[in-house]
Amino acid sequence: MLRPLIVSFREGVAYRAKGNLLWLLHRISGLGIVVFLGFHIFGMSMAAFNPALHERALELYKTPPFAIGELLLAFLLIFHAVNGTRIAILELRPQLWEKQELATRLSLIITALLTAPTLAIMAYKSISHFLAH
Amino acid sequence: MKITLKIKRFNPEVDKKPHWESYTVEVEPTDRVLDALHEVKWTQDGTLALRRSCAHGICGSDAMRINGRNMLACKALIKDVAKDGVITVEPILGLPVVKDLIVDMEPFFAHYRAIMPYLVNNDPPPERERLQSPEDRARYDDTTKCILCACCTTSCPSFWARGEYVGPAAIVQAHRFIFDSRDQAGEERLRILSEPDGVWRCRTVFNCTEACPRGIQVTKAIGEVKEALRTGVIR
């Protein structure tokens, strides 16, 4: 089951093309979000099945490595959403294929514009939390 | 000028896995990568295996990965691809390597045959040719340029992950007949392409469009086939 995933990542890294890099990042961000969701659902379900473990997980989420992970997650979410929208539009309107380089640039700019303030606010809140404790 | 060709070699009778070998050759900047490969094969190492036929970008035999990207060796100029005097050459991805730069193309051609790459028209043959307006002919002009070199299919992440995927080249060939006003098997081809290993495995990565040595708008053609499947209208 994992073979297609491993093969496509291995070949994806070996192949040098512009579109390929975006595809790789899209896949990595998608995988990252799925892994986070898995952890999140598991962690939340522990509130019902194992409250002590749930409390420990909440404490763990407040540590610096998880704060950095949250920043990374925010970037992956925004990139995946914006790039996914670009792909969906080009899928539905094949006539726009000539604009695909422009669309790629636009999606990267929108990702940067949305990511910068989000990460700034999150980083500010995390740093404030760590300084207060 | 002197350049170093780094070639990924693999001889299944001797090697367990592929390895790199370097060759220094004297070439002109306007020579092609194919000329440099010939220089290696004819003057340095006759065991190097590569496939080529017309050597002029028409037959599509010498598709390979040059500096990590699919190209035809006969169309890639040394001056365009040499980086600090070094060029890497590898076989295309996703197909079994037979020896060195030669891959087994049979899985690729099997997908090509699957989409019925021929005109189907069951009407009684006219006295002369089946006429078509210039507008109708222009509708599929772009996809008639395909030379079946496999540059597009073997640059596709979906094909790397699943060899059963019909691949961009077969979809381009299907497009060439689906949108031909004289053809009567468009719906049958669309049915074939709507199967799980058909057109929906395309992830709109655009590697195929970037790799096509004939400049075919491959992703657009695939998008038009998807659109025909979505709307049920061939136009």
PDB file of all heavy atoms in Angstrom, chain B residues 201-219:
ATOM      1  N   ARG B 201      -6.820  10.165 -12.846  1.00  0.00           N
ATOM      2  CA  ARG B 201      -5.586  10.062 -12.054  1.00  0.00           C
ATOM      3  C   ARG B 201      -4.656  11.258 -12.295  1.00  0.00           C
ATOM      4  O   ARG B 201      -3.670  11.426 -11.589  1.00  0.00           O
ATOM      5  CB  ARG B 201      -4.842   8.767 -12.367  1.00  0.00           C
ATOM      6  CG  ARG B 201      -5.472   7.565 -11.735  1.00  0.00           C
ATOM      7  CD  ARG B 201      -4.514   6.420 -11.481  1.00  0.00           C
ATOM      8  NE  ARG B 201      -5.248   5.325 -10.864  1.00  0.00           N
ATOM      9  CZ  ARG B 201      -5.391   5.195  -9.554  1.00  0.00           C
ATOM     10  NH1 ARG B 201      -4.817   6.058  -8.745  1.00  0.00           N
ATOM     11  NH2 ARG B 201      -6.090   4.202  -9.052  1.00  0.00           N
ATOM     12  N   CYS B 202      -4.975  12.065 -13.317  1.00  0.00           N
ATOM     13  CA  CYS B 202      -4.166  13.267 -13.577  1.00  0.00           C
ATOM     14  C   CYS B 202      -4.346  14.241 -12.428  1.00  0.00           C
ATOM     15  O   CYS B 202      -5.464  14.515 -11.999  1.00  0.00           O
ATOM     16  CB  CYS B 202      -4.596  13.917 -14.887  1.00  0.00           C
ATOM     17  SG  CYS B 202      -3.952  15.586 -15.090  1.00  0.00           S
ATOM     18  N   ARG B 203      -3.226  14.775 -11.897  1.00  0.00           N
ATOM     19  CA  ARG B 203      -3.269  15.711 -10.779  1.00  0.00           C
ATOM     20  C   ARG B 203      -2.914  17.142 -11.199  1.00  0.00           C
ATOM     21  O   ARG B 203      -2.576  17.974 -10.365  1.00  0.00           O
ATOM     22  CB  ARG B 203      -2.329  15.263  -9.656  1.00  0.00           C
ATOM     23  CG  ARG B 203      -2.680  13.907  -9.065  1.00  0.00           C
ATOM     24  CD  ARG B 203      -3.949  13.983  -8.222  1.00  0.00           C
ATOM     25  NE  ARG B 203      -4.280  12.706  -7.596  1.00  0.00           N
ATOM     26  CZ  ARG B 203      -5.113  11.810  -8.105  1.00  0.00           C
ATOM     27  NH1 ARG B 203      -5.713  12.042  -9.259  1.00  0.00           N
ATOM     28  NH2 ARG B 203      -5.360  10.674  -7.477  1.00  0.00           N
ATOM     29  N   THR B 204      -2.936  17.394 -12.514  1.00  0.00           N
ATOM     30  CA  THR B 204      -2.685  18.741 -13.049  1.00  0.00           C
ATOM     31  C   THR B 204      -1.352  19.315 -12.537  1.00  0.00           C
ATOM     32  O   THR B 204      -1.283  20.433 -12.064  1.00  0.00           O
ATOM     33  CB  THR B 204      -3.860  19.688 -12.696  1.00  0.00           C
ATOM     34  OG1 THR B 204      -5.082  18.957 -12.822  1.00  0.00           O
ATOM     35  CG2 THR B 204      -3.941  20.872 -13.618  1.00  0.00           C
ATOM     36  N   VAL B 205      -0.318  18.501 -12.649  1.00  0.00           N
ATOM     37  CA  VAL B 205       1.012  18.915 -12.175  1.00  0.00           C
ATOM     38  C   VAL B 205       1.745  19.755 -13.229  1.00  0.00           C
ATOM     39  O   VAL B 205       2.631  20.531 -12.908  1.00  0.00           O
ATOM     40  CB  VAL B 205       1.842  17.667 -11.783  1.00  0.00           C
ATOM     41  CG1 VAL B 205       3.220  18.030 -11.273  1.00  0.00           C
ATOM     42  CG2 VAL B 205       1.108  16.846 -10.732  1.00  0.00           C
ATOM     43  N   PHE B 206       1.408  19.565 -14.490  1.00  0.00           N
ATOM     44  CA  PHE B 206       2.000  20.283 -15.632  1.00  0.00           C
ATOM     45  C   PHE B 206       3.399  19.797 -16.011  1.00  0.00           C
ATOM     46  O   PHE B 206       4.040  20.399 -16.858  1.00  0.00           O
ATOM     47  CB  PHE B 206       2.036  21.809 -15.394  1.00  0.00           C
ATOM     48  CG  PHE B 206       0.707  22.468 -15.650  1.00  0.00           C
ATOM     49  CD1 PHE B 206      -0.153  22.733 -14.606  1.00  0.00           C
ATOM     50  CD2 PHE B 206       0.315  22.821 -16.924  1.00  0.00           C
ATOM     51  CE1 PHE B 206      -1.393  23.335 -14.829  1.00  0.00           C
ATOM     52  CE2 PHE B 206      -0.914  23.418 -17.165  1.00  0.00           C
ATOM     53  CZ  PHE B 206      -1.772  23.684 -16.113  1.00  0.00           C
ATOM     54  N   ASN B 207       3.910  18.718 -15.369  1.00  0.00           N
ATOM     55  CA  ASN B 207       5.207  18.160 -15.780  1.00  0.00           C
ATOM     56  C   ASN B 207       5.163  17.737 -17.245  1.00  0.00           C
ATOM     57  O   ASN B 207       6.138  17.904 -17.973  1.00  0.00           O
ATOM     58  CB  ASN B 207       5.547  16.919 -14.937  1.00  0.00           C
ATOM     59  CG  ASN B 207       6.206  17.282 -13.628  1.00  0.00           C
ATOM     60  OD1 ASN B 207       6.334  18.456 -13.305  1.00  0.00           O
ATOM     61  ND2 ASN B 207       6.605  16.286 -12.868  1.00  0.00           N
ATOM     62  N   CYS B 208       4.014  17.184 -17.668  1.00  0.00           N
ATOM     63  CA  CYS B 208       3.898  16.668 -19.042  1.00  0.00           C
ATOM     64  C   CYS B 208       4.020  17.793 -20.062  1.00  0.00           C
ATOM     65  O   CYS B 208       4.738  17.670 -21.060  1.00  0.00           O
ATOM     66  CB  CYS B 208       2.588  15.910 -19.212  1.00  0.00           C
ATOM     67  SG  CYS B 208       1.133  16.807 -18.656  1.00  0.00           S
ATOM     68  N   THR B 209       3.338  18.907 -19.786  1.00  0.00           N
ATOM     69  CA  THR B 209       3.394  20.054 -20.709  1.00  0.00           C
ATOM     70  C   THR B 209       4.827  20.575 -20.793  1.00  0.00           C
ATOM     71  O   THR B 209       5.319  20.917 -21.869  1.00  0.00           O
ATOM     72  CB  THR B 209       2.450  21.168 -20.216  1.00  0.00           C
ATOM     73  OG1 THR B 209       1.140  20.631 -20.074  1.00  0.00           O
ATOM     74  CG2 THR B 209       2.405  22.337 -21.181  1.00  0.00           C
ATOM     75  N   GLU B 210       5.492  20.613 -19.637  1.00  0.00           N
ATOM     76  CA  GLU B 210       6.868  21.122 -19.578  1.00  0.00           C
ATOM     77  C   GLU B 210       7.832  20.185 -20.307  1.00  0.00           C
ATOM     78  O   GLU B 210       8.822  20.633 -20.888  1.00  0.00           O
ATOM     79  CB  GLU B 210       7.265  21.247 -18.097  1.00  0.00           C
ATOM     80  CG  GLU B 210       8.302  22.320 -17.820  1.00  0.00           C
ATOM     81  CD  GLU B 210       8.596  22.439 -16.338  1.00  0.00           C
ATOM     82  OE1 GLU B 210       7.677  22.266 -15.516  1.00  0.00           O
ATOM     83  OE2 GLU B 210       9.767  22.705 -16.011  1.00  0.00           O
ATOM     84  N   ALA B 211       7.530  18.879 -20.289  1.00  0.00           N
ATOM     85  CA  ALA B 211       8.466  17.901 -20.853  1.00  0.00           C
ATOM     86  C   ALA B 211       8.275  17.685 -22.352  1.00  0.00           C
ATOM     87  O   ALA B 211       9.204  17.245 -23.025  1.00  0.00           O
ATOM     88  CB  ALA B 211       8.312  16.565 -20.125  1.00  0.00           C
ATOM     89  N   CYS B 212       7.091  17.993 -22.882  1.00  0.00           N
ATOM     90  CA  CYS B 212       6.803  17.619 -24.276  1.00  0.00           C
ATOM     91  C   CYS B 212       7.761  18.308 -25.260  1.00  0.00           C
ATOM     92  O   CYS B 212       7.786  19.532 -25.361  1.00  0.00           O
ATOM     93  CB  CYS B 212       5.360  17.970 -24.648  1.00  0.00           C
ATOM     94  SG  CYS B 212       4.992  17.530 -26.370  1.00  0.00           S
ATOM     95  N   PRO B 213       8.559  17.530 -26.014  1.00  0.00           N
ATOM     96  CA  PRO B 213       9.508  18.142 -26.958  1.00  0.00           C
ATOM     97  C   PRO B 213       8.825  18.735 -28.183  1.00  0.00           C
ATOM     98  O   PRO B 213       9.457  19.442 -28.952  1.00  0.00           O
ATOM     99  CB  PRO B 213      10.416  16.964 -27.338  1.00  0.00           C
ATOM    100  CG  PRO B 213       9.593  15.753 -27.117  1.00  0.00           C
ATOM    101  CD  PRO B 213       8.644  16.065 -26.006  1.00  0.00           C
ATOM    102  N   ARG B 214       7.533  18.435 -28.356  1.00  0.00           N
ATOM    103  CA  ARG B 214       6.787  18.976 -29.492  1.00  0.00           C
ATOM    104  C   ARG B 214       5.944  20.185 -29.099  1.00  0.00           C
ATOM    105  O   ARG B 214       5.200  20.709 -29.917  1.00  0.00           O
ATOM    106  CB  ARG B 214       5.872  17.895 -30.078  1.00  0.00           C
ATOM    107  CG  ARG B 214       6.593  16.619 -30.461  1.00  0.00           C
ATOM    108  CD  ARG B 214       7.314  16.735 -31.759  1.00  0.00           C
ATOM    109  NE  ARG B 214       6.375  16.916 -32.858  1.00  0.00           N
ATOM    110  CZ  ARG B 214       6.719  17.270 -34.092  1.00  0.00           C
ATOM    111  NH1 ARG B 214       7.980  17.510 -34.369  1.00  0.00           N
ATOM    112  NH2 ARG B 214       5.810  17.386 -35.029  1.00  0.00           N
ATOM    113  N   GLY B 215       6.023  20.586 -27.852  1.00  0.00           N
ATOM    114  CA  GLY B 215       5.278  21.765 -27.404  1.00  0.00           C
ATOM    115  C   GLY B 215       3.775  21.567 -27.339  1.00  0.00           C
ATOM    116  O   GLY B 215       3.011  22.541 -27.407  1.00  0.00           O
ATOM    117  N   ILE B 216       3.339  20.327 -27.209  1.00  0.00           N
ATOM    118  CA  ILE B 216       1.889  20.060 -27.124  1.00  0.00           C
ATOM    119  C   ILE B 216       1.374  20.525 -25.757  1.00  0.00           C
ATOM    120  O   ILE B 216       2.030  20.324 -24.729  1.00  0.00           O
ATOM    121  CB  ILE B 216       1.597  18.550 -27.318  1.00  0.00           C
ATOM    122  CG1 ILE B 216       2.076  18.105 -28.693  1.00  0.00           C
ATOM    123  CG2 ILE B 216       0.103  18.250 -27.145  1.00  0.00           C
ATOM    124  CD1 ILE B 216       2.049  16.604 -28.898  1.00  0.00           C
ATOM    125  N   GLN B 217       0.190  21.125 -25.753  1.00  0.00           N
ATOM    126  CA  GLN B 217      -0.418  21.579 -24.494  1.00  0.00           C
ATOM    127  C   GLN B 217      -1.099  20.375 -23.843  1.00  0.00           C
ATOM    128  O   GLN B 217      -2.324  20.252 -23.827  1.00  0.00           O
ATOM    129  CB  GLN B 217      -1.412  22.689 -24.795  1.00  0.00           C
ATOM    130  CG  GLN B 217      -0.771  23.884 -25.495  1.00  0.00           C
ATOM    131  CD  GLN B 217      -1.793  24.692 -26.282  1.00  0.00           C
ATOM    132  OE1 GLN B 217      -2.992  24.596 -26.053  1.00  0.00           O
ATOM    133  NE2 GLN B 217      -1.308  25.500 -27.211  1.00  0.00           N
ATOM    134  N   VAL B 218      -0.254  19.509 -23.280  1.00  0.00           N
ATOM    135  CA  VAL B 218      -0.745  18.201 -22.820  1.00  0.00           C
ATOM    136  C   VAL B 218      -1.779  18.342 -21.702  1.00  0.00           C
ATOM    137  O   VAL B 218      -2.851  17.728 -21.759  1.00  0.00           O
ATOM    138  CB  VAL B 218       0.435  17.319 -22.345  1.00  0.00           C
ATOM    139  CG1 VAL B 218      -0.068  15.930 -21.947  1.00  0.00           C
ATOM    140  CG2 VAL B 218       1.486  17.200 -23.446  1.00  0.00           C
ATOM    141  N   THR B 219      -1.471  19.162 -20.702  1.00  0.00           N
ATOM    142  CA  THR B 219      -2.395  19.290 -19.565  1.00  0.00           C
ATOM    143  C   THR B 219      -3.731  19.880 -20.021  1.00  0.00           C
ATOM    144  O   THR B 219      -4.787  19.514 -19.499  1.00  0.00           O
ATOM    145  CB  THR B 219      -1.777  20.159 -18.456  1.00  0.00           C
ATOM    146  OG1 THR B 219      -0.424  19.740 -18.246  1.00  0.00           O
ATOM    147  CG2 THR B 219      -2.531  20.018 -17.157  1.00  0.00           C
TER     148      THR B 219
END
